[in-house]
Amino acid sequence: MVISNEQMTTEDEKLQKMRHSAAHVMAEAVLSIFQDAKFGIGPAIENGFYYDFELPRSLDPDDFPLVEKKMAEIIASNTPFVKEEVDKKEARRLFANQPYKLELIDEIPDEKVNLFRQGSFVDLCRGPHVGSTGEIGAFKLISIAGAYWRGDEHRPMLQRIYGVAFDTQKALTKHLKELEDAAKRDHRKLGRELDLFSIHEEAGPGLVHWHPKGAAIRRVIEDFWKDEHIKRGYDIVYTPHIAKLDLWRTSGHWEFYRDYLYAPMEVEGQEYIVKPMNCLGHILMYKTRLRSYRELPVRYAELGTVYRYERSGVLHGLSRVRGFTQDDAHIFCRFDQLEDEVVGVLELALFMVDTFGFTDYQMLLSTRPEKYAGTIQVWEEATKTLSQALARLKLDYDVDPGEGVFYGPKIDIKFRDTLGRGWQGPTIQVDFNLPQRFNVTYVGEDGQEHLIVMVHRTVLGSMERFLASLIEHYGGAFPVWIAPVQVTVIPIADRNLDYAYKVETELKKEGVRIKVDARSERVNLKIRQAQLDKIPYMLVVGDKEVALSTVSVRLRSGEQVSSLPLVDFKETLRRVIVNKIKDLKL
Ligand SMILES: [Zn+2]
Ligand SMILES: [Zn+2]
């Protein structure tokens, strides 16, 4: 969830203060154990806090109880946090043994430096804090991770200890339970266990390899995506993965986003880059001929793979990567068509997100930032158009003032998963910049050329991040229509194998993703394996099933459904898949 300062409640502020104060207490506790500890920074974060330390040895969670015990003592002592203001010279003397603090002091523009002291412990800090350590509620240290000083991989790697803190023990316990649930659903863990994808140090971090089962899910998503787009008047297109650097100079990306672009490669004396976005290819295609106002809007949709540089330290499974496939589209329209187009995108976006099972979402309308392309007037009209589109669909939304991108206002939709965590979903951005830079026009009713209004939009974000959200939302137990393997056939004895293959062949003809577990293992073990693989349906077939042309159905929940004729199962399964029914019960 995006929380702008205005929206932050006093309750949130109180918790933030308390969490940040807990970071100071943790630093004091760590210093009491390691007298040589060097300190980085220690901010409050969502649900808790962290502090970065340089320590004489690597810590692990076994060290937490001792740190927590010291923290508890400091909290019990109810020592006040006292603010002090000193000049830089005094601050440098106080932190003479703290190289990271000295670096921070050097960057403070004022001559005066704020310190906070609790007991004998002093930290460089602006505050605010709670009045005294006793006001810190229930806390727990939860993890430790390497973190480069200032996120820069050329600087030393520090040890970052994460903690969580809440007003009450009850709230902390609830949160720890949620963390436990989330860990079980971690897409990196499930991705490995369910054999969906892998990322290889040998190939490079942040580059995803989709295994057959992950690829099966992706194909379901892509097919559904393409069908829905075609139904709603989009044309599906493809554009190349590399393009001349000059194109990105014209667009301004080379100037503004260079940090995210990979270095150019030379081809026949010309510089090329791998594309960081799909927009420019679509613009070139639009511009291949004069466009009349009558043929607008033009809607180009592409599942376009793009590459952007992200620091290795921030990469995270499928949700933060270096190469990803955006479900992208660009709409070229007249200004008077903008509202209808935005309504169309919102309807499509919500339909898709809802079909995948995310029914809880939040909308945000971001308005003009300080630096912007285009005129104030056109910004205001476009922003008004976006809010009218939201109003037409009776959608509630929050306004995030000044948070639009420089080229136009936008609508973001965040959806929530089963655990209530937010995922970045659909985005709709109006663009006043690129049409101007590339002179993208249409011929109006008046016979004159007019600048087009361009809309960038994505519905799912990227295939990678969306798969991460699906895995965690369902804990890997996907609805039947999405499941990479929908049915497994388990023969009771080897003599039932022929029938098992016959069942497989019949259902495969219907497009069902099915496999026979032909291993010579006990039936119970095969059932257990299918449950671990979270396969929706198991068809157990023995002599009786062979004789009667039936199947004995088990659900992955362990529930046993009575035997039914194979033809009936086939028909019911078809209905479940076509209608994208989430309940497995037949
Ligand atoms: Zn502080
Ligand atoms: Zn775009």
Side-chain angles (χ1 to χ4, degrees):
M1 188 170 71
V2 177
I3 303 173
S4 62
N5 287 332
E6 290 85 337
Q7 289 169 303
M8 210 147 93
T9 62
T10 46
E11 195 56 32
D12 290 333
E13 277 168 27
K14 232 181 78 195
L15 271 173
Q16 291 287 94
K17 262 201 296 197
M18 188 269 276
R19 286 167 180 155
H20 171 64
S21 305
H24 280 251
V25 169
M26 178 167 71
E28 182 182 350
V30 167
L31 185 64
S32 74
I33 302 165
F34 300 100
Q35 276 77 35
D36 297 331
K38 306 275 183 274
F39 298 106
I41 54 163
I45 52 173
E46 199 179 356
N47 301 317
F49 57 92
Y50 70 75
Y51 213 118
D52 289 345
F53 303 104
E54 187 185 296
L55 301 172
R57 67 169 174 88
S58 289
L59 296 192
D60 62 50
D62 290 342
D63 294 301
F64 290 169
L66 180 59
V67 181
E68 285 168 343
K69 186 170 162 271
K70 298 267 182 197
M71 287 176 73
E73 286 166 17
I74 298 164
I75 291 170
S77 72
N78 199 17
T79 312
F81 285 97
V82 183
K83 187 175 176 174
E84 286 175 26
E85 200 182 59
V86 296
D87 59 29
K88 274 192 173 168
K89 199 171 149 225
E90 172 63 7
R92 286 197 189 95
R93 194 191 59 77
L94 268 169
F95 293 100
N97 294 322
Q98 293 291 342
Y100 305 110
K101 296 290 177 190
L102 289 175
E103 192 177 322
L104 296 174
I105 291 168
D106 285 343
E107 286 168 16
I108 296 172
D110 303 339
E111 255 321 293
K112 294 286 182 190
V113 173
N114 277 326
L115 307 177
F116 269 88
R117 195 182 283 280
Q118 83 249 20
S120 61
F121 180 79
V122 62
D123 204 348
L124 179 73
C125 189
R126 218 185 274 280
H129 304 89
V130 290
S132 65
T133 57
E135 289 173 46
I136 294 169
F139 72 95
K140 187 161 176 43
L141 304 186
I142 51 164
S143 63
I144 186 157
Y148 291 109
W149 170 237
R150 320 207 96 175
D152 181 345
E153 62 274 22
H154 305 300
R155 308 295 306 274
M157 167 88 84
L158 306 179
Q159 301 190 59
R160 175 171 296 176
I161 303 180
Y162 288 96
V164 290
F166 289 85
D167 271 346
T168 60
Q169 183 60 44
K170 197 176 156 212
L172 175 67
T173 307
K174 179 171 170 276
H175 180 69
L176 290 175
K177 172 79 175 67
E178 285 165 3
L179 281 183
E180 202 182 300
D181 291 345
K184 278 187 213 142
R185 288 167 177 258
D186 188 316
H187 73 271
R188 295 167 300 175
K189 176 176 167 281
L190 286 172
R192 205 167 40 241
E193 288 171 7
L194 300 175
D195 195 16
L196 301 178
F197 69 91
S198 58
I199 294 169
H200 303 266
E201 202 46 54
E202 303 95 302
L207 300 170
V208 180
H209 296 68
W210 295 69
H211 293 205
K213 286 183 190 167
I217 298 175
R218 176 164 168 171
R219 191 172 59 78
V220 170
I221 299 172
E222 291 189 354
D223 288 350
F224 176 50
W225 187 91
K226 285 180 187 164
D227 290 348
E228 279 309 313
H229 278 72
I230 290 166
K231 274 187 210 163
R232 294 166 197 250
Y234 286 81
D235 293 311
I236 307 280
V237 299
Y238 301 91
T239 60
H241 286 236
I242 65 170
K244 283 185 186 167
L245 176 57
D246 278 344
L247 203 56
W248 307 96
R249 286 203 173 99
T250 307
S251 70
H253 287 107
W254 186 243
E255 191 184 340
F256 295 114
Y257 298 111
R258 191 183 299 201
D259 289 349
Y260 296 100
L261 306 184
Y262 289 103
M265 60 190 112
E266 205 200 282
V267 182
E268 296 180 337
Q270 292 277 349
E271 287 182 300
Y272 285 71
I273 60 167
V274 290
K275 67 174 169 183
M277 41 192 65
N278 305 303
C279 329
L280 305 191
H282 296 187
I283 288 179
L284 293 180
M285 290 196 292
Y286 175 89
K287 277 172 61 87
T288 48
R289 56 187 170 81
L290 263 185
R291 304 281 181 169
S292 150
Y293 68 95
R294 288 171 202 276
E295 61 181 299
L296 299 180
V298 168
R299 307 183 190 96
Y300 290 149
E302 176 174 12
L303 290 160
T305 305
V306 298
Y307 295 87
R308 295 181 196 167
Y309 172 69
E310 297 266 17
R311 289 173 189 281
S312 48
V314 301
L315 298 173
H316 183 86
L318 295 176
S319 49
R320 198 88 180 255
V321 291
R322 286 181 174 166
F324 53 97
T325 301
Q326 277 186 317
D327 67 305
D328 211 354
H330 294 95
I331 299 169
F332 301 88
C333 66
R334 304 188 308 261
F335 203 97
D336 63 284
Q337 295 172 317
L338 182 60
E339 186 179 319
D340 283 347
E341 288 309 302
V342 174
V343 166
V345 175
L346 284 169
E347 283 174 336
L348 167 62
L350 294 180
F351 170 73
M352 290 203 65
V353 166
D354 192 73
T355 306
F356 281 108
F358 300 98
T359 48
D360 184 9
Y361 39 77
Q362 186 203 11
M363 309 245 172
L364 215 55
L365 171 62
S366 302
T367 60
R368 184 167 51 83
E370 268 176 44
K371 275 188 171 176
Y372 58 93
T375 64
I376 290 197
Q377 194 206 346
V378 82
W379 265 87
E380 276 173 2
E381 281 174 35
T383 310
K384 203 173 110 204
T385 307
L386 293 186
S387 55
Q388 279 164 357
L390 288 161
R392 238 168 85 184
L393 295 175
K394 299 189 170 57
L395 294 166
D396 285 335
Y397 63 95
D398 294 320
V399 175
D400 209 356
E403 287 301 310
V405 259
F406 77 92
Y407 50 77
K410 62 169 180 165
I411 296 171
D412 287 310
I413 303 176
K414 302 228 151 140
F415 53 82
R416 291 186 183 284
D417 65 17
T418 5
L419 301 183
R421 295 164 309 166
W423 294 82
Q424 173 66 51
T427 305
I428 308 168
Q429 296 183 335
V430 184
D431 187 341
F432 304 123
N433 180 50
L434 288 179
Q436 208 149 26
R437 282 179 178 258
F438 283 92
N439 192 34
V440 190
T441 61
Y442 67 95
V443 179
E445 221 169 337
D446 55 4
Q448 304 292 311
E449 274 192 58
H450 301 271
L451 273 188
I452 203 87
V453 176
M454 186 173 176
V455 178
H456 308 255
R457 41 113 293 177
T458 166
V459 169
L460 305 174
S462 73
M463 290 299 130
E464 287 73 12
R465 199 175 58 208
F466 192 67
L467 179 67
S469 71
L470 273 184
I471 295 172
E472 300 202 359
H473 184 55
Y474 288 110
F478 303 103
V480 183
W481 72 284
I482 302 173
V485 179
Q486 296 164 314
V487 180
T488 182
V489 190
I490 301 175
I492 290 176
D494 280 352
R495 62 177 178 279
N496 307 129
L497 256 176
D498 282 348
Y499 180 69
Y501 285 123
K502 184 180 159 253
V503 171
E504 184 192 34
T505 309
E506 282 223 11
L507 289 174
K508 260 197 177 152
K509 268 191 247 163
E510 303 285 313
V512 174
R513 295 184 290 277
I514 181 170
K515 63 165 186 123
V516 175
D517 189 344
R519 295 174 301 159
S520 45
E521 296 281 2
R522 285 181 303 117
V523 169
N524 277 347
L525 192 135
K526 292 183 186 180
I527 288 175
R528 176 86 192 113
Q529 186 59 49
Q531 280 176 326
L532 287 174
D533 291 341
K534 302 181 196 293
I535 299 171
Y537 298 112
M538 292 153 233
L539 307 182
V540 181
V541 295
D543 295 343
K544 198 181 102 204
E545 283 74 20
V546 175
L548 300 172
S549 275
T550 58
V551 288
S552 177
V553 187
R554 270 181 96 94
L555 310 185
R556 67 181 159 211
S557 59
E559 206 175 323
Q560 176 98 40
V561 182
S562 54
S563 278
L564 51 163
L566 178 58
V567 279
D568 290 1
F569 175 72
K570 197 163 81 177
E571 181 47 33
T572 310
L573 182 62
R574 198 190 60 79
R575 192 175 50 79
V576 168
I577 293 171
V578 168
N579 296 318
K580 303 182 170 63
I581 292 170
K582 283 177 197 82
D583 193 357
L584 299 191
K585 287 205 185 108
L586 297 170

